Amino acid sequence: MADVSAADWDACAAPEGVPFDPFTSHAFLSALEVSRSATAKTGWQPQHLVLEAPDGGVLAVAPCYLKSHSRGEYVFDHGWADAYERAGGRYYPKLQVSVPFTPATGRRFLVPPGPAAEPARAALAAGLIELARLRKASSVHVTFMTEAEARLTAAHGYLQRTDQQFHWENAGYATFEDFLGALASRKRKAIRRERREAVEAGITIERLTGAAITEDAWDAFFAFYMDTGSRKWGRPYLTRAFFSLVGESLAENILLVMAKRNGRYVAGALNFIGGDTLFGRHWGAVENHPFLHFELCYYQAIEFAIERRLARVEAGAQGEHKLARGYLPNTTWSAHWIADPALRHAIADYLEQERAYIDEAGRELAAASPFRRDGELTVRAAREDEIETDC
């Protein structure tokens, strides 16, 4: 990222009229590299694409990495890699166009709006294929992209993949109680009970943004992140330095929700504030309290979004238990260019079946919405052991 000026990158990533995405900002992506969270040593060798005009001006960019593994991506291709290597192929390295460790939908071909936008996106899509050939990579993977970008890459021979996440949508609620009023009565009662029980052990909740996020708060949160991440993955991805760096450069775009008991922090949830979306990213705790995860990650996020008049909350990957708490299924998109024709054919067949399954699962989940309709529907509440380290 140091090879591209922040002004040039952000002119493409955050042009006027496009809602700010903190994850594709120069500051966020730089923090991943400078903190040694996303580097060649960790299997994320930066290979960012920059489309330049004849005079050297930057027209478009794309965050890209040469990968030696498939960890930290949240769109799983381990099975593809295993099958290809059993057949005598070499799946790694591969090219990954994404924000490392961040399953949040956003633009991946970062182009300012205007008449040159579509040709620029097409140039990036074609340029990635050429870069894969130059680097002798087996494939190109563009993950958590927009639907429009997925359609564009399909025209360039990329295979299409879909999945589901759960997002909360703001229907113009004035208060959290207004949101509860839109739910079936049993869901309202369950959420009120969970919120009460989450803080019954003498827990207080603090929301920290901007200068209120001190290094002591980051120390506490990093301890939560390491404890939970070590149990979940074996090795957490982000270094302690990363949190200080983003806390310095993106302070006003961070919401840290912390739980305190007996004068010390015992749990926390990290969120990033976009132009119209609150992104829940990481959660951790050093004490177990019933429903505290739901309070910090889901209910506090909804309250904050309502207060800030944000359009939605994206609460990370996975988690059907989010449905009972007002987060509805949304389709996510990825695109995959595969160099080997035989592997490409096998993956294409697999993806056709997978898309049909995802579509059907999405319809079933949508039918189980907790919101009021002609009849009041209810959905199963999650057990405490079903929560994940993502928010």
Side-chain angles (χ1 to χ4, degrees):
M1 291 298 296
D3 293 336
V4 187
S5 76
D8 283 342
W9 184 280
D10 288 339
C12 299
E16 186 176 350
V18 175
F20 178 68
D21 181 347
F23 302 126
T24 56
S25 69
H26 193 278
F28 187 91
L29 295 168
S30 292
L32 288 170
E33 294 180 21
V34 174
S35 69
R36 302 188 181 278
S37 299
T39 64
K41 187 174 181 180
T42 63
W44 291 81
Q45 182 177 344
Q47 298 279 290
H48 308 307
L49 256 65
V50 179
L51 180 64
E52 294 183 344
D55 64 1
V58 174
L59 302 175
V61 295
C64 182
Y65 302 84
L66 194 66
K67 292 293 302 294
S68 59
H69 55 69
S70 291
R71 296 188 295 275
E73 297 167 8
Y74 298 89
V75 176
F76 302 110
D77 63 348
H78 305 286
W80 305 356
D82 291 344
Y84 193 47
E85 293 183 1
R86 283 198 305 270
R90 190 168 72 99
Y91 194 74
Y92 304 106
K94 65 175 187 175
L95 284 180
Q96 187 77 25
V97 181
S98 68
V99 178
F101 328 122
T102 308
T105 293
R107 297 184 309 134
R108 295 296 173 259
F109 299 153
L110 306 177
V111 184
E118 282 307 299
R121 292 187 187 97
L124 290 174
L128 286 166
I129 295 173
E130 181 61 22
L131 180 61
R133 291 174 175 145
L134 290 171
R135 296 293 184 266
K136 296 181 171 54
S138 71
S139 48
V140 180
H141 307 267
V142 188
T143 51
F144 297 101
M145 64 201 312
T146 66
E147 184 177 357
E149 290 173 327
R151 289 195 299 267
L152 175 124
T153 54
H156 286 265
Y158 289 68
L159 302 176
Q160 306 298 291
R161 192 176 194 183
T162 58
D163 204 346
Q164 295 282 341
Q165 279 188 355
F166 295 87
H167 302 166
W168 178 85
E169 300 288 338
N170 189 348
Y173 305 115
T175 65
F176 190 88
E177 281 298 312
D178 284 349
F179 156 64
L180 289 182
L183 300 179
S185 61
R186 289 182 63 185
K187 303 319 307 174
R188 288 198 300 272
K189 293 175 183 176
I191 289 174
R192 286 178 178 137
R193 177 178 60 83
E194 289 179 359
R195 299 202 75 180
R196 286 195 307 271
E197 293 186 15
V199 296
E200 277 184 348
I203 290 173
T204 58
I205 308 294
E206 296 180 2
R207 291 189 203 159
L208 307 176
T209 60
I213 307 177
T214 64
E215 287 299 302
D216 287 343
W218 282 128
D219 284 340
F221 180 79
F222 186 68
F224 308 150
Y225 169 76
M226 289 296 292
D227 178 77
T228 307
S230 297
R231 286 185 279 110
K232 178 78 173 182
W233 308 309
R235 178 180 173 274
Y237 303 124
L238 300 170
T239 66
R240 172 64 181 85
F242 168 79
F243 296 97
S244 289
L245 287 167
V246 294
E248 189 176 311
S249 59
L250 290 169
E252 299 304 323
N253 296 100
I254 293 174
L255 168 66
L256 198 57
V257 183
M258 302 289 278
K260 182 175 283 187
R261 192 176 78 88
N262 293 333
R264 73 166 187 138
Y265 290 128
V266 297
L270 173 61
N271 305 265
F272 285 83
I273 307 165
D276 60 2
T277 303
L278 182 67
F279 300 94
R281 282 306 304 119
H282 297 288
W283 131 275
V286 292
E287 291 184 4
N288 293 319
H289 296 278
F291 307 117
L292 187 57
H293 171 266
F294 302 145
E295 174 64 23
L296 296 189
C297 292
Y298 307 147
Y299 304 141
Q300 288 289 329
I302 289 173
E303 275 195 338
F304 184 86
I306 290 171
E307 292 168 9
R308 288 287 186 100
R309 298 184 180 179
L310 298 175
R312 68 189 58 83
V313 178
E314 291 193 21
Q318 305 173 342
E320 291 185 13
H321 59 274
K322 296 176 179 133
L323 186 62
R325 289 150 186 98
Y327 292 73
L328 299 181
N330 281 258
T331 300
T332 60
W333 301 85
S334 62
H336 309 266
W337 179 84
I338 311 297
D340 187 305
L343 179 62
R344 174 187 172 82
H345 181 74
I347 290 175
D349 288 345
Y350 168 79
L351 290 179
E352 184 176 2
Q353 299 175 47
E354 186 187 51
R355 283 194 301 270
Y357 169 78
I358 293 294
D359 288 347
E360 180 59 28
R363 285 190 289 270
E364 291 179 4
L365 289 167
S369 165
F371 288 87
R372 285 187 296 141
R373 53 180 75 182
D374 292 340
E376 288 196 337
L377 299 180
T378 59
V379 294
R380 177 184 64 84
R383 301 189 309 270
E384 286 293 297
D385 61 358
E386 291 180 314
I387 62 178
E388 69 278 341
T389 55
D390 264 35
C391 279

